[in-house]
Amino acid sequence: MKKLKPALLLGAVIALGAAPGSPPVHAQELEPRLLSNVPKGMNFGILGYAYSTGNILLDPAISIDDLDSRVHTLVGAFVHSFSLAGVSSKVDVVVPLATGDWTGIVEGRDSARSVSGLGDPRVRLSVAFVGAPAMERKEFGSYIQETVVGASLQIIAPLGQYDPSKLINLGSNRWTARATLGASKVVDRWIVEGYAGAWLFGDNTDFFGGNLAEQAPLLTAKTHLIRLFDKGRWLAFDLGYGVGGQGTISGVERDNRISTFRFGATLALPVAAAHTLRFTLLSGVRLEKGPDFDAYGASWQYRR
């Protein structure tokens, strides 16, 4: 296990490392303020860059010893808020582009690959069904958050770069669903959040060498402690844990059960009426298998 050292990662309404098969791949995202209410009819555009280094496991079905990675990722995202049955809801679309270099040991042999291209895009629906009514912009000034409870469902499409003759790819060649349930509570100038979720993986029927790759669900838990400041600034401290995801290759069970922690801190700095910069510290430490990395980055968000 590597020595833990914090680094910066892209922080935005949508977190960068979303799912297995998209770089950088993190078994669970750290997304503070996911349940924050916003007026309906708002649109957000997000552009960000991140650099990640360490054992970035692109697909948990893969078994690579001493994996070392250097990954540059550019992410574009769009978010739209609307009313669903009278409660605040959002839909977001994320598209990652990445370039990276990987070295490791596969079946006792030194291996390396450099690859650039599209990662798996994803679409998510989020609904805050308690404590966050859908409101017009002119009404929103009177809204005071107390306790919010909500859920989200994200679908990751297998559209990223994928070559079945290569063990390391930017895409996963399988459908993935991520379900999350969470709650957010305001206490004076602090917000406390907690989330529980699960990743559900489809099969990769054309895994490396023409094999069938299957994977059990991956369970996650996250918590955030957020400090609010004047002028829309805020700072969040993040902690996450993921466990499970045991995989099989053509019916043979792999020694790749994931058990990993995430530690992070996100800083949001509004720089104009509709513009916000965000920076996030993030580091991953594995207990059994899974990503073991540091990363840094920055994002710009525009809303209208």
Side-chain angles (χ1 to χ4, degrees):
M1 182 182 298
K2 72 179 181 64
K3 181 180 179 181
L4 175 64
K5 55 180 181 179
L8 287 170
L9 181 72
L10 166 67
V13 172
I14 310 303
L16 173 63
S22 296
V25 181
H26 307 147
Q28 77 274 4
E29 299 169 332
L30 299 180
E31 298 175 89
R33 307 204 68 181
L34 180 63
L35 291 176
S36 293
N37 195 4
V38 296
K40 60 184 180 180
M42 291 195 69
N43 297 301
F44 299 82
I46 299 163
L47 182 64
Y49 162 80
Y51 172 70
S52 305
T53 180
N55 182 343
I56 302 169
L57 197 62
L58 292 183
D59 192 325
I62 299 173
S63 180
I64 301 179
D65 297 322
D66 297 327
L67 180 63
D68 186 43
S69 313
R70 302 287 186 272
V71 185
H72 302 267
T73 308
L74 182 67
V75 168
F78 173 77
V79 186
H80 175 71
S81 64
F82 62 99
S83 173
L84 182 63
V87 298
S88 179
S89 305
K90 295 188 286 283
V91 61
D92 61 67
V93 180
V94 181
V95 179
L97 295 170
T99 181
D101 299 291
W102 288 264
T103 60
I105 300 175
V106 180
E107 296 181 349
R109 295 180 297 175
D110 291 337
S111 301
R113 191 184 187 203
S114 297
V115 62
S116 300
L118 176 71
D120 287 339
R122 69 226 57 177
V123 179
R124 175 171 54 186
L125 172 66
S126 303
V127 179
F129 45 79
V130 174
M135 306 176 73
E136 301 288 348
R137 299 192 193 198
K138 61 183 179 181
E139 304 173 298
F140 196 74
S142 61
Y143 172 74
I144 299 176
Q145 180 180 333
E146 294 182 355
T147 300
V148 177
V149 180
S152 68
L153 177 64
Q154 186 178 63
I155 302 297
I156 298 93
L159 300 177
Q161 181 276 342
Y162 186 80
D163 183 348
S165 68
K166 306 295 184 181
L167 188 59
I168 294 176
N169 288 284
L170 299 179
S172 61
N173 196 43
R174 62 178 177 180
W175 290 91
T176 302
R178 174 190 174 221
T180 303
L181 177 66
S184 175
K185 173 69 174 178
V186 174
V187 181
D188 194 19
R189 296 188 65 84
W190 293 86
I191 302 177
V192 181
E193 298 181 335
Y195 299 89
W199 294 91
L200 304 175
F201 303 100
D203 295 341
N204 181 351
T205 58
D206 195 15
F207 184 67
F208 181 62
N211 289 287
L212 171 66
E214 301 171 281
Q215 190 172 4
L218 175 67
L219 304 180
T220 65
K222 300 176 293 181
T223 185
H224 308 281
L225 181 63
I226 303 156
R227 179 67 164 88
L228 305 177
F229 300 97
D230 295 334
K231 300 180 180 180
R233 297 170 296 174
W234 53 269
L235 174 64
F237 300 96
D238 316 306
L239 172 64
Y241 177 68
V243 63
Q246 178 72 50
T248 62
I249 304 297
S250 295
V252 179
E253 189 172 274
R254 309 292 291 182
D255 180 22
N256 61 353
R257 179 180 180 272
I258 294 171
S259 179
T260 181
F261 278 101
R262 300 287 183 274
F263 303 90
T266 304
L267 176 65
L269 299 173
V271 293
H275 303 264
T276 300
L277 294 176
R278 302 194 185 189
F279 307 90
T280 301
L281 301 175
L282 182 63
S283 200
V285 176
R286 63 186 179 190
L287 300 181
E288 295 180 39
K289 300 290 185 179
D292 194 20
F293 65 93
D294 293 307
Y296 63 89
S299 72
W300 164 76
Q301 173 187 287
Y302 172 74
R303 70 178 186 275
R304 60 168 298 177

Short mmCIF file of all heavy atoms in Angstrom, two decimals, residues 2-9 26 28 30 53 238-240 260-265 280-286 291-296:
data_model
loop_
_atom_site.label_atom_id
_atom_site.label_comp_id
_atom_site.label_asym_id
_atom_site.label_seq_id
_atom_site.Cartn_x
_atom_site.Cartn_y
_atom_site.Cartn_z
N LYS A 2 0.49 2.19 -0.89
CA LYS A 2 1.31 3.38 -0.97
C LYS A 2 1.02 4.32 0.17
O LYS A 2 -0.01 4.25 0.82
CB LYS A 2 1.04 4.12 -2.30
CG LYS A 2 -0.31 4.80 -2.34
CD LYS A 2 -0.47 5.51 -3.65
CE LYS A 2 -1.81 6.23 -3.71
NZ LYS A 2 -1.96 7.28 -2.74
N LYS A 3 1.96 5.19 0.42
CA LYS A 3 1.76 6.22 1.42
C LYS A 3 0.75 7.21 0.91
O LYS A 3 0.81 7.69 -0.22
CB LYS A 3 3.08 6.93 1.70
CG LYS A 3 2.96 8.02 2.76
CD LYS A 3 4.31 8.67 2.98
CE LYS A 3 4.20 9.78 4.02
NZ LYS A 3 5.51 10.44 4.22
N LEU A 4 -0.26 7.54 1.71
CA LEU A 4 -1.31 8.46 1.31
C LEU A 4 -0.77 9.86 1.19
O LEU A 4 -0.11 10.38 2.07
CB LEU A 4 -2.44 8.44 2.36
CG LEU A 4 -3.57 9.44 2.13
CD1 LEU A 4 -4.29 9.11 0.82
CD2 LEU A 4 -4.53 9.42 3.29
N LYS A 5 -1.04 10.48 0.04
CA LYS A 5 -0.69 11.88 -0.15
C LYS A 5 -1.80 12.54 -0.94
O LYS A 5 -2.24 12.05 -1.97
CB LYS A 5 0.64 12.04 -0.87
CG LYS A 5 0.72 11.32 -2.21
CD LYS A 5 2.06 11.53 -2.85
CE LYS A 5 2.15 10.82 -4.20
NZ LYS A 5 3.44 11.03 -4.86
N PRO A 6 -2.33 13.67 -0.49
CA PRO A 6 -3.44 14.30 -1.18
C PRO A 6 -2.98 14.95 -2.46
O PRO A 6 -1.84 15.31 -2.63
CB PRO A 6 -3.93 15.34 -0.17
CG PRO A 6 -2.72 15.67 0.63
CD PRO A 6 -1.93 14.41 0.73
N ALA A 7 -3.92 15.12 -3.39
CA ALA A 7 -3.65 15.83 -4.63
C ALA A 7 -4.95 16.47 -5.09
O ALA A 7 -6.01 16.23 -4.53
CB ALA A 7 -3.09 14.89 -5.68
N LEU A 8 -4.86 17.30 -6.12
CA LEU A 8 -6.04 17.98 -6.64
C LEU A 8 -6.71 17.14 -7.70
O LEU A 8 -6.06 16.50 -8.50
CB LEU A 8 -5.63 19.33 -7.24
CG LEU A 8 -5.25 20.43 -6.26
CD1 LEU A 8 -4.65 21.59 -7.03
CD2 LEU A 8 -6.45 20.88 -5.47
N LEU A 9 -8.04 17.17 -7.74
CA LEU A 9 -8.79 16.52 -8.82
C LEU A 9 -9.93 17.41 -9.23
O LEU A 9 -10.36 18.28 -8.48
CB LEU A 9 -9.34 15.16 -8.39
CG LEU A 9 -10.10 14.41 -9.48
CD1 LEU A 9 -9.15 13.89 -10.54
CD2 LEU A 9 -10.88 13.27 -8.92
N HIS A 26 -12.71 5.42 -10.57
CA HIS A 26 -12.78 5.36 -9.11
C HIS A 26 -14.01 4.56 -8.74
O HIS A 26 -15.10 4.85 -9.22
CB HIS A 26 -12.86 6.76 -8.51
CG HIS A 26 -11.75 7.65 -9.00
ND1 HIS A 26 -11.92 9.00 -9.18
CD2 HIS A 26 -10.48 7.36 -9.34
CE1 HIS A 26 -10.78 9.52 -9.62
NE2 HIS A 26 -9.90 8.55 -9.73
N GLN A 28 -15.90 4.55 -6.29
CA GLN A 28 -17.00 5.41 -5.88
C GLN A 28 -16.59 6.86 -6.04
O GLN A 28 -15.46 7.23 -5.83
CB GLN A 28 -17.42 5.14 -4.42
CG GLN A 28 -16.52 5.72 -3.36
CD GLN A 28 -15.37 4.79 -3.03
OE1 GLN A 28 -15.22 3.76 -3.64
NE2 GLN A 28 -14.56 5.18 -2.10
N LEU A 30 -16.75 10.93 -5.20
CA LEU A 30 -16.94 11.83 -4.07
C LEU A 30 -17.56 13.10 -4.63
O LEU A 30 -16.87 13.92 -5.23
CB LEU A 30 -15.61 12.12 -3.37
CG LEU A 30 -14.90 10.89 -2.78
CD1 LEU A 30 -13.60 11.30 -2.11
CD2 LEU A 30 -15.80 10.17 -1.79
N THR A 53 -2.33 9.87 -11.30
CA THR A 53 -1.15 9.01 -11.31
C THR A 53 -1.31 7.94 -10.24
O THR A 53 -1.90 8.16 -9.18
CB THR A 53 0.13 9.83 -11.05
OG1 THR A 53 1.26 8.96 -11.06
CG2 THR A 53 0.07 10.56 -9.72
N ASP A 238 -14.35 15.11 2.18
CA ASP A 238 -15.05 13.96 1.62
C ASP A 238 -14.39 12.64 2.02
O ASP A 238 -13.16 12.56 2.09
CB ASP A 238 -15.05 14.04 0.09
CG ASP A 238 -15.36 15.44 -0.43
OD1 ASP A 238 -16.41 15.98 -0.02
OD2 ASP A 238 -14.55 15.98 -1.20
N LEU A 239 -15.22 11.63 2.26
CA LEU A 239 -14.74 10.29 2.59
C LEU A 239 -15.66 9.28 1.93
O LEU A 239 -16.89 9.39 2.01
CB LEU A 239 -14.72 10.07 4.10
CG LEU A 239 -14.41 8.64 4.59
CD1 LEU A 239 -12.99 8.24 4.20
CD2 LEU A 239 -14.60 8.55 6.10
N GLY A 240 -15.08 8.28 1.26
CA GLY A 240 -15.87 7.24 0.62
C GLY A 240 -15.23 5.88 0.79
O GLY A 240 -14.02 5.75 1.02
N THR A 260 -11.65 -0.40 -1.02
CA THR A 260 -10.84 0.79 -1.19
C THR A 260 -11.49 2.03 -0.57
O THR A 260 -12.71 2.14 -0.53
CB THR A 260 -10.58 1.04 -2.70
OG1 THR A 260 -9.76 2.19 -2.87
CG2 THR A 260 -11.87 1.23 -3.46
N PHE A 261 -10.66 2.93 -0.05
CA PHE A 261 -11.11 4.20 0.52
C PHE A 261 -10.80 5.34 -0.43
O PHE A 261 -9.86 5.27 -1.24
CB PHE A 261 -10.41 4.48 1.86
CG PHE A 261 -11.02 3.76 3.03
CD1 PHE A 261 -10.44 2.61 3.53
CD2 PHE A 261 -12.17 4.26 3.64
CE1 PHE A 261 -11.00 1.95 4.61
CE2 PHE A 261 -12.74 3.60 4.72
CZ PHE A 261 -12.14 2.44 5.21
N ARG A 262 -11.57 6.42 -0.34
CA ARG A 262 -11.31 7.69 -1.00
C ARG A 262 -11.30 8.80 0.04
O ARG A 262 -12.15 8.82 0.93
CB ARG A 262 -12.39 8.03 -2.03
CG ARG A 262 -12.54 7.00 -3.13
CD ARG A 262 -11.37 7.06 -4.10
NE ARG A 262 -11.58 6.11 -5.17
CZ ARG A 262 -11.23 4.86 -5.10
NH1 ARG A 262 -10.66 4.39 -4.00
NH2 ARG A 262 -11.45 4.04 -6.11
N PHE A 263 -10.36 9.71 -0.09
CA PHE A 263 -10.29 10.89 0.76
C PHE A 263 -10.22 12.12 -0.14
O PHE A 263 -9.44 12.13 -1.10
CB PHE A 263 -9.06 10.83 1.66
CG PHE A 263 -8.98 9.60 2.52
CD1 PHE A 263 -8.33 8.46 2.06
CD2 PHE A 263 -9.57 9.58 3.77
CE1 PHE A 263 -8.26 7.32 2.84
CE2 PHE A 263 -9.51 8.43 4.56
CZ PHE A 263 -8.86 7.30 4.09
N GLY A 264 -11.00 13.14 0.16
CA GLY A 264 -10.98 14.30 -0.71
C GLY A 264 -11.37 15.58 0.00
O GLY A 264 -11.86 15.57 1.13
N ALA A 265 -11.15 16.71 -0.68
CA ALA A 265 -11.58 18.02 -0.20
C ALA A 265 -11.84 18.89 -1.42
O ALA A 265 -10.98 19.04 -2.29
CB ALA A 265 -10.51 18.65 0.68
N THR A 280 -10.47 20.13 -6.24
CA THR A 280 -10.73 19.06 -5.27
C THR A 280 -9.47 18.26 -4.98
O THR A 280 -8.79 17.83 -5.91
CB THR A 280 -11.83 18.12 -5.77
OG1 THR A 280 -13.02 18.85 -6.00
CG2 THR A 280 -12.12 17.04 -4.73
N LEU A 281 -9.16 18.05 -3.72
CA LEU A 281 -8.11 17.13 -3.32
C LEU A 281 -8.69 15.72 -3.29
O LEU A 281 -9.77 15.51 -2.76
CB LEU A 281 -7.60 17.49 -1.92
CG LEU A 281 -7.03 18.89 -1.73
CD1 LEU A 281 -6.69 19.11 -0.26
CD2 LEU A 281 -5.80 19.09 -2.58
N LEU A 282 -7.98 14.78 -3.86
CA LEU A 282 -8.48 13.41 -3.87
C LEU A 282 -7.34 12.41 -3.86
O LEU A 282 -6.35 12.59 -4.57
CB LEU A 282 -9.35 13.17 -5.12
CG LEU A 282 -9.99 11.79 -5.24
CD1 LEU A 282 -10.97 11.55 -4.09
CD2 LEU A 282 -10.70 11.65 -6.57
N SER A 283 -7.47 11.37 -3.05
CA SER A 283 -6.49 10.29 -3.00
C SER A 283 -7.22 9.00 -2.69
O SER A 283 -8.18 8.99 -1.92
CB SER A 283 -5.43 10.58 -1.94
OG SER A 283 -4.26 9.84 -2.17
N GLY A 284 -6.78 7.90 -3.31
CA GLY A 284 -7.38 6.61 -3.08
C GLY A 284 -6.39 5.65 -2.45
O GLY A 284 -5.22 5.62 -2.83
N VAL A 285 -6.86 4.88 -1.49
CA VAL A 285 -6.02 3.88 -0.81
C VAL A 285 -6.79 2.56 -0.77
O VAL A 285 -7.92 2.51 -0.30
CB VAL A 285 -5.67 4.32 0.63
CG1 VAL A 285 -4.89 3.21 1.33
CG2 VAL A 285 -4.86 5.60 0.62
N ARG A 286 -6.21 1.49 -1.29
CA ARG A 286 -6.89 0.21 -1.32
C ARG A 286 -6.52 -0.64 -0.12
O ARG A 286 -5.39 -0.60 0.37
CB ARG A 286 -6.55 -0.54 -2.61
CG ARG A 286 -5.09 -0.89 -2.76
CD ARG A 286 -4.82 -1.50 -4.11
NE ARG A 286 -3.41 -1.83 -4.28
CZ ARG A 286 -2.87 -2.19 -5.43
NH1 ARG A 286 -3.62 -2.27 -6.51
NH2 ARG A 286 -1.58 -2.49 -5.50
N PRO A 291 -8.35 0.74 -7.24
CA PRO A 291 -7.47 1.86 -7.56
C PRO A 291 -6.73 2.38 -6.32
O PRO A 291 -7.26 2.42 -5.23
CB PRO A 291 -8.42 2.93 -8.12
CG PRO A 291 -9.61 2.15 -8.58
CD PRO A 291 -9.74 1.02 -7.63
N ASP A 292 -5.49 2.80 -6.53
CA ASP A 292 -4.61 3.32 -5.49
C ASP A 292 -3.87 4.49 -6.14
O ASP A 292 -2.89 4.27 -6.84
CB ASP A 292 -3.66 2.21 -5.05
CG ASP A 292 -2.95 2.54 -3.74
OD1 ASP A 292 -3.44 3.40 -3.00
OD2 ASP A 292 -1.89 1.94 -3.50
N PHE A 293 -4.32 5.72 -5.95
CA PHE A 293 -3.90 6.80 -6.84
C PHE A 293 -3.89 8.16 -6.13
O PHE A 293 -4.43 8.33 -5.04
CB PHE A 293 -4.88 6.89 -8.02
CG PHE A 293 -6.26 7.28 -7.57
CD1 PHE A 293 -6.66 8.61 -7.57
CD2 PHE A 293 -7.15 6.32 -7.14
CE1 PHE A 293 -7.92 8.97 -7.12
CE2 PHE A 293 -8.42 6.67 -6.70
CZ PHE A 293 -8.80 8.00 -6.68
N ASP A 294 -3.30 9.13 -6.80
CA ASP A 294 -3.44 10.55 -6.49
C ASP A 294 -3.81 11.26 -7.79
O ASP A 294 -3.48 10.78 -8.87
CB ASP A 294 -2.13 11.13 -5.94
CG ASP A 294 -1.78 10.54 -4.59
OD1 ASP A 294 -2.63 10.58 -3.69
OD2 ASP A 294 -0.64 10.04 -4.46
N ALA A 295 -4.48 12.40 -7.68
CA ALA A 295 -4.90 13.11 -8.88
C ALA A 295 -5.07 14.59 -8.58
O ALA A 295 -5.24 14.98 -7.43
CB ALA A 295 -6.20 12.52 -9.43
N TYR A 296 -5.02 15.40 -9.63
CA TYR A 296 -5.29 16.83 -9.43
C TYR A 296 -5.93 17.39 -10.69
O TYR A 296 -5.81 16.82 -11.78
CB TYR A 296 -4.01 17.59 -9.10
CG TYR A 296 -2.95 17.58 -10.18
CD1 TYR A 296 -2.94 18.57 -11.16
CD2 TYR A 296 -1.97 16.59 -10.21
CE1 TYR A 296 -1.98 18.57 -12.14
CE2 TYR A 296 -1.01 16.58 -11.20
CZ TYR A 296 -1.01 17.59 -12.17
OH TYR A 296 -0.06 17.58 -13.16
#
